[in-house]
Amino acid sequence: MLHSKAISLKFMACLVLFYIILGKRYGMSFENIFIITALLVITSYILGDMLILRRTNNAVAAIADFGWAFLLIWFLSSILTLQDELISMSLAAAFGSAIFEYAFHLYLVRNLAETRVENGSISHGNLRYNTENSEDLTPLKPDGRSGEGQ
Protein backbone atom coordinates (compact mmCIF):
# COMPACT_ATOMS: atom_id res chain seq x y z
CA MET A 1 0.00 0.00 0.00
CA LEU A 2 2.86 2.37 0.78
CA HIS A 3 4.41 1.83 -2.66
CA SER A 4 1.16 2.55 -4.48
CA LYS A 5 0.72 5.75 -2.49
CA ALA A 6 4.30 6.81 -3.29
CA ILE A 7 3.91 6.02 -7.00
CA SER A 8 0.61 7.91 -7.14
CA LEU A 9 2.16 10.93 -5.46
CA LYS A 10 5.12 10.83 -7.82
CA PHE A 11 2.90 10.43 -10.88
CA MET A 12 0.63 13.36 -10.00
CA ALA A 13 3.53 15.68 -9.16
CA CYS A 14 5.45 14.77 -12.34
CA LEU A 15 2.33 15.13 -14.48
CA VAL A 16 1.74 18.66 -13.17
CA LEU A 17 5.43 19.53 -13.49
CA PHE A 18 5.71 18.21 -17.04
CA TYR A 19 2.43 19.84 -18.05
CA ILE A 20 3.83 23.19 -16.95
CA ILE A 21 7.25 22.69 -18.57
CA LEU A 22 6.46 20.59 -21.63
CA GLY A 23 2.87 21.60 -22.25
CA LYS A 24 2.76 25.31 -21.47
CA ARG A 25 6.34 26.22 -22.38
CA TYR A 26 6.99 23.92 -25.35
CA GLY A 27 3.44 23.20 -26.57
CA MET A 28 3.46 19.41 -26.21
CA SER A 29 0.05 17.70 -26.18
CA PHE A 30 -1.39 16.34 -22.95
CA GLU A 31 -1.50 12.79 -24.34
CA ASN A 32 2.24 12.83 -25.04
CA ILE A 33 2.95 14.33 -21.61
CA PHE A 34 0.85 11.58 -20.01
CA ILE A 35 2.75 8.83 -21.86
CA ILE A 36 6.15 10.32 -20.98
CA THR A 37 5.14 10.79 -17.34
CA ALA A 38 3.79 7.24 -16.98
CA LEU A 39 6.89 5.62 -18.47
CA LEU A 40 9.27 7.85 -16.53
CA VAL A 41 7.52 7.34 -13.19
CA ILE A 42 7.42 3.55 -13.50
CA THR A 43 11.01 3.14 -14.64
CA SER A 44 12.53 5.76 -12.33
CA TYR A 45 10.66 4.39 -9.31
CA ILE A 46 12.10 0.95 -9.89
CA LEU A 47 15.61 2.02 -10.94
CA GLY A 48 16.19 5.25 -9.04
CA ASP A 49 14.07 4.92 -5.93
CA MET A 50 14.12 1.21 -5.19
CA LEU A 51 17.61 0.29 -6.42
CA ILE A 52 19.94 3.31 -6.50
CA LEU A 53 18.53 5.21 -3.50
CA ARG A 54 18.70 2.13 -1.25
CA ARG A 55 22.36 1.53 -2.12
CA THR A 56 23.63 5.11 -2.23
CA ASN A 57 22.50 8.50 -0.96
CA ASN A 58 19.95 11.09 -2.02
CA ALA A 59 22.31 13.18 -4.15
CA VAL A 60 23.55 10.22 -6.21
CA ALA A 61 20.00 8.99 -6.75
CA ALA A 62 18.81 12.48 -7.80
CA ILE A 63 21.70 12.79 -10.30
CA ALA A 64 20.90 9.34 -11.68
CA ASP A 65 17.23 10.32 -11.96
CA PHE A 66 18.23 13.49 -13.82
CA GLY A 67 20.24 11.49 -16.37
CA TRP A 68 17.52 8.89 -16.83
CA ALA A 69 14.80 11.55 -17.12
CA PHE A 70 16.81 13.47 -19.72
CA LEU A 71 17.43 10.38 -21.85
CA LEU A 72 13.86 9.10 -21.63
CA ILE A 73 12.22 12.48 -22.26
CA TRP A 74 14.53 13.19 -25.18
CA PHE A 75 13.98 9.75 -26.73
CA LEU A 76 10.20 9.74 -26.31
CA SER A 77 9.88 13.36 -27.44
CA SER A 78 11.80 12.58 -30.63
CA ILE A 79 9.38 9.75 -31.35
CA LEU A 80 6.11 11.39 -30.29
CA THR A 81 6.56 15.00 -31.44
CA LEU A 82 8.06 17.09 -34.21
CA GLN A 83 9.72 19.58 -31.85
CA ASP A 84 12.89 21.42 -32.82
CA GLU A 85 14.14 22.15 -29.30
CA LEU A 86 14.40 18.56 -28.03
CA ILE A 87 17.58 19.00 -26.02
CA SER A 88 16.57 22.21 -24.23
CA MET A 89 13.08 20.83 -23.63
CA SER A 90 14.48 17.59 -22.22
CA LEU A 91 17.04 19.42 -20.06
CA ALA A 92 14.39 21.73 -18.59
CA ALA A 93 12.02 18.86 -17.80
CA ALA A 94 14.82 16.66 -16.40
CA PHE A 95 16.11 19.50 -14.21
CA GLY A 96 12.62 20.10 -12.80
CA SER A 97 12.23 16.38 -12.30
CA ALA A 98 15.57 16.12 -10.47
CA ILE A 99 14.59 18.88 -8.05
CA PHE A 100 11.31 17.09 -7.34
CA GLU A 101 13.11 13.74 -7.03
CA TYR A 102 15.45 15.11 -4.35
CA ALA A 103 12.45 16.06 -2.20
CA PHE A 104 10.64 12.81 -3.08
CA HIS A 105 13.64 10.78 -1.94
CA LEU A 106 13.45 12.48 1.46
CA TYR A 107 9.79 11.42 1.63
CA LEU A 108 10.70 7.85 0.67
CA VAL A 109 13.48 7.58 3.21
CA ARG A 110 11.23 8.89 5.95
CA ASN A 111 8.19 6.73 5.10
CA LEU A 112 9.43 3.56 3.39
CA ALA A 113 12.93 2.92 4.74
CA GLU A 114 11.87 1.40 8.03
CA THR A 115 10.16 -1.95 7.63
CA ARG A 116 9.23 -4.41 10.31
CA VAL A 117 10.83 -7.82 10.13
CA GLU A 118 9.43 -11.09 11.47
CA ASN A 119 10.65 -10.79 15.06
CA GLY A 120 9.24 -7.26 15.50
CA SER A 121 12.52 -5.36 15.23
CA ILE A 122 12.94 -2.54 12.74
CA SER A 123 15.16 -2.94 9.70
CA HIS A 124 16.51 0.26 8.15
CA GLY A 125 16.79 -0.93 4.56
CA ASN A 126 20.38 0.22 3.94
CA LEU A 127 22.62 -2.26 5.74
CA ARG A 128 25.90 -1.00 4.36
CA TYR A 129 27.25 0.21 7.71
CA ASN A 130 25.80 -2.41 10.06
CA THR A 131 28.19 -4.50 12.10
CA GLU A 132 27.81 -7.77 13.95
CA ASN A 133 28.51 -8.10 17.65
CA SER A 134 29.42 -11.31 19.44
CA GLU A 135 30.05 -12.37 23.01
CA ASP A 136 32.56 -15.04 22.03
CA LEU A 137 36.10 -13.80 22.48
CA THR A 138 37.95 -17.00 21.72
CA PRO A 139 37.16 -19.54 19.02
CA LEU A 140 35.97 -23.03 19.86
CA LYS A 141 37.97 -26.12 19.07
CA PRO A 142 36.31 -28.79 16.92
CA ASP A 143 35.35 -30.78 20.06
CA GLY A 144 33.31 -27.83 21.40
CA ARG A 145 35.74 -26.69 24.14
CA SER A 146 37.20 -23.21 24.20
CA GLY A 147 40.87 -22.67 23.55
CA GLU A 148 41.46 -20.93 26.93
CA GLY A 149 43.21 -22.45 29.91
CA GLN A 150 45.11 -25.22 28.23
Side-chain angles (χ1 to χ4, degrees):
M1 183 65 180
L2 292 175
H3 290 288
S4 61
K5 182 180 175 183
I7 290 173
S8 298
L9 173 69
K10 183 174 183 167
F11 179 78
M12 293 307 295
C14 286
L15 187 64
V16 169
L17 177 72
F18 292 157
Y19 180 73
I20 292 169
I21 295 172
L22 298 175
K24 294 293 185 184
R25 171 71 174 96
Y26 291 99
M28 187 181 285
S29 71
F30 184 77
E31 293 83 17
N32 291 340
I33 294 170
F34 189 86
I35 292 169
I36 290 171
T37 303
L39 289 174
L40 181 66
V41 165
I42 291 167
T43 56
S44 71
Y45 189 79
I46 293 168
L47 295 174
D49 302 336
M50 294 294 107
L51 295 176
I52 296 173
L53 181 62
R54 287 184 182 221
R55 288 170 175 75
T56 61
N57 59 20
N58 192 357
V60 172
I63 291 169
D65 282 331
F66 170 79
W68 178 245
F70 173 75
L71 289 174
L72 191 69
I73 293 168
W74 175 78
F75 177 72
L76 291 175
S77 297
S78 68
I79 293 173
L80 298 172
T81 65
L82 299 173
Q83 295 281 340
D84 291 333
E85 304 173 351
L86 288 179
I87 292 180
S88 64
M89 177 176 63
S90 301
L91 279 173
F95 183 71
S97 175
I99 292 172
F100 165 73
E101 287 288 341
Y102 189 83
F104 183 71
H105 292 160
L106 296 175
Y107 165 80
L108 282 181
V109 168
R110 187 172 45 247
N111 292 313
L112 292 180
E114 293 183 350
T115 56
R116 298 223 174 252
V117 291
E118 294 172 6
N119 63 2
S121 64
I122 295 176
S123 171
H124 290 284
N126 190 352
L127 302 176
R128 187 170 53 175
Y129 298 114
N130 284 358
T131 58
E132 181 179 329
N133 293 324
S134 174
E135 293 181 14
D136 297 334
L137 296 176
T138 58
L140 294 177
K141 292 186 177 185
D143 62 1
R145 296 178 302 147
S146 70
E148 292 182 7
Q150 292 184 358

